[in-house]
Amino acid sequence: FEQPRHGSLAFLPRKRAARHRGRCKSFPKDNAANPPHLTAFLAYKAGMTHVVRDLDRPGSKAHKKEIVEAVTVIEAPAMVIVGVVGYVQTPRGMRALTSVWAEHLSDEVKRRFYKNWYRSKKKAYTKYASKYSTDSGKEITRDLERIKKYSSVVRVIAHTQMSKLKLGQKKAHIMEIQVNGGTIAQKVDWAREHFEKTISVGDVFEKDEMIDVIGVTKGHGVTGVTARWGTKKLPRKTHRGLRKVACIGAWHPARVMYSVARAGQDGYHHRTEANKKIYRIGKGEDISNASTEFDLTEKRITPLGGFPHYGVVNEDFVIIKGSCVGVKKRVLTLRKSLRVHTKRSALENVNLKFIDTSSKFGHGRFQTIKEKKAFMGTLKKDLNEA
């Protein structure tokens, strides 16, 4: 009696992620022919909705017909570039040569350097900032020249703007983002020019692009084998429980193999999900950022009553096809794809006809508050407010 095993061993060990923010373990291949540009961005998962569009897939039965698809809305306020790091190649891999930081850092990013901000003296980087005023920034220039001379990879240090979000967190998320395109000198100059300046998500990605989403999945605590590995439940009459593995191994070797499904931590694992298509990059200040040329209603992306467990999306956002890892409010790393895409579905030009903004808290009937008021008329609570 044989059958495929339950659950993949590729994801061992199934334990809690060491880091809360998704880490880019590799970046896209560099091409010096392109102008310098960033290859990743940090954003926050807001929630899901659905869209209607015409499918453009010759040969499919649904070709040129309307289809409904689930999409995820990810809020991505502009990031601030505050430093640059140069890496040199060694026989043992890459080694950081030196880092250069900007003159002024906001409190949001300084909070990241402290365990207890309100008790601290808040002196981080005060001595470093004085390098810019002594000898007209000679030491800073020297470090930048060293990066230009010796480095083979250049990454900028960028952080998110937590004050733009209503997450209750004040400490910024900070990451190194690789700069691709141009020569090493051009990369360093580009990074230096953008010190203390913001980069929006629209500067990094474009519509219809395929991206990878890196993050930590929703945690489920300790679960048994049935939920954790999807093993078959035992018959109803089983003594001492049925959500178990009946035999956890042979008599000899007299130990439990690593490949046997056991109970333990489920979820809160670090995962990279490839090939998510961007359906729209919306601007936060646009009052009709959820309108389309077919649905001209003036409406924003936030559904009635806000995204459950998140709230209102006021900043720039990205709409990607399907679901993605993590709970609401989870910080996600969006990265340019490592692959060259040739599939028709990847190269398809998506034209949205309708984006749903009805309430996600129950069965939403109305797309806008205006529409709801027109249908419901004057309510008792309206008279009380007046």
Side-chain angles (χ1 to χ4, degrees), residues 153-165:
V153 170
V154 175
R155 294 178 182 169
V156 295
I157 302 166
H159 73 84
T160 57
Q161 299 185 80
M162 300 308 289
S163 57
K164 299 260 174 109
L165 295 163

Side-chain angles (χ1 to χ4, degrees), residues 50-55 64-69 207 279-280 290-297 299 349-356 367:
H50 67 262
V51 297
V52 177
R53 70 183 184 96
D54 281 335
L55 187 68
K64 293 199 168 161
K65 291 198 171 79
E66 282 189 351
I67 57 165
V68 178
E69 287 182 322
K207 186 181 164 291
Y279 277 3
R280 174 171 287 199
S291 305
T292 63
E293 53 191 51
F294 293 91
D295 173 29
L296 299 170
T297 319
K299 60 179 184 177
N349 188 13
V350 171
N351 189 17
L352 300 182
K353 291 180 98 170
F354 171 76
I355 301 170
D356 183 61
Q367 293 296 317

Side-chain angles (χ1 to χ4, degrees), residues 42-212:
L42 288 178
Y44 299 85
K45 180 170 171 175
M48 292 187 74
T49 183
H50 67 262
V51 297
V52 177
R53 70 183 184 96
D54 281 335
L55 187 68
D56 179 25
R57 198 170 295 163
S60 164
K61 283 184 175 171
H63 179 51
K64 293 199 168 161
K65 291 198 171 79
E66 282 189 351
I67 57 165
V68 178
E69 287 182 322
V71 293
T72 305
V73 178
I74 303 170
E75 191 169 10
M79 290 180 76
V80 183
I81 292 177
V82 288
V84 61
V85 190
Y87 286 88
V88 288
Q89 287 287 359
T90 71
R92 293 191 304 276
M94 288 202 305
R95 176 181 73 84
L97 175 73
T98 187
S99 307
V100 176
W101 290 79
E103 189 175 0
H104 306 103
L105 301 183
S106 72
D107 279 356
E108 287 178 312
V109 71
K110 282 184 186 170
R111 279 173 183 270
R112 183 54 63 185
F113 308 137
Y114 287 99
K115 213 50 169 179
N116 194 332
W117 173 252
Y118 87 96
R119 271 200 193 153
S120 67
K121 294 198 173 98
K122 306 175 180 48
K123 299 285 279 181
Y125 281 86
T126 45
K127 275 187 185 169
Y128 187 91
S130 63
K131 287 185 182 180
Y132 278 88
S133 49
T134 52
D135 292 349
S136 63
K138 198 168 157 188
E139 205 175 328
I140 300 290
T141 314
R142 190 199 68 200
D143 282 348
L144 289 170
E145 290 303 320
R146 276 185 69 217
I147 295 175
K148 283 182 189 178
K149 188 175 178 185
Y150 299 111
S151 293
S152 54
V153 170
V154 175
R155 294 178 182 169
V156 295
I157 302 166
H159 73 84
T160 57
Q161 299 185 80
M162 300 308 289
S163 57
K164 299 260 174 109
L165 295 163
K166 299 285 185 287
L167 294 188
Q169 181 176 323
K170 296 175 183 174
K171 189 185 287 194
H173 290 104
I174 187 168
M175 79 172 287
E176 284 184 13
I177 305 172
Q178 189 158 308
V179 182
N180 278 3
T183 61
I184 296 296
Q186 285 172 330
K187 291 184 214 283
V188 176
D189 290 338
W190 184 91
R192 178 72 184 86
E193 284 161 23
H194 286 81
F195 272 9
E196 299 175 37
K197 290 184 183 157
T198 56
I199 291 274
S200 71
V201 69
D203 300 335
V204 180
F205 303 113
E206 54 193 26
K207 186 181 164 291
D208 298 329
E209 189 177 346
M210 296 294 259
I211 62 169
D212 300 341

Side-chain angles (χ1 to χ4, degrees), residues 229-250:
W229 293 97
T231 56
K232 205 164 183 63
K233 283 168 69 177
L234 300 178
R236 182 188 62 80
K237 291 169 73 100
T238 312
H239 184 46
R240 294 203 181 120
L242 46 83
R243 294 174 68 91
K244 293 171 178 283
V245 173
C247 174
I248 59 168

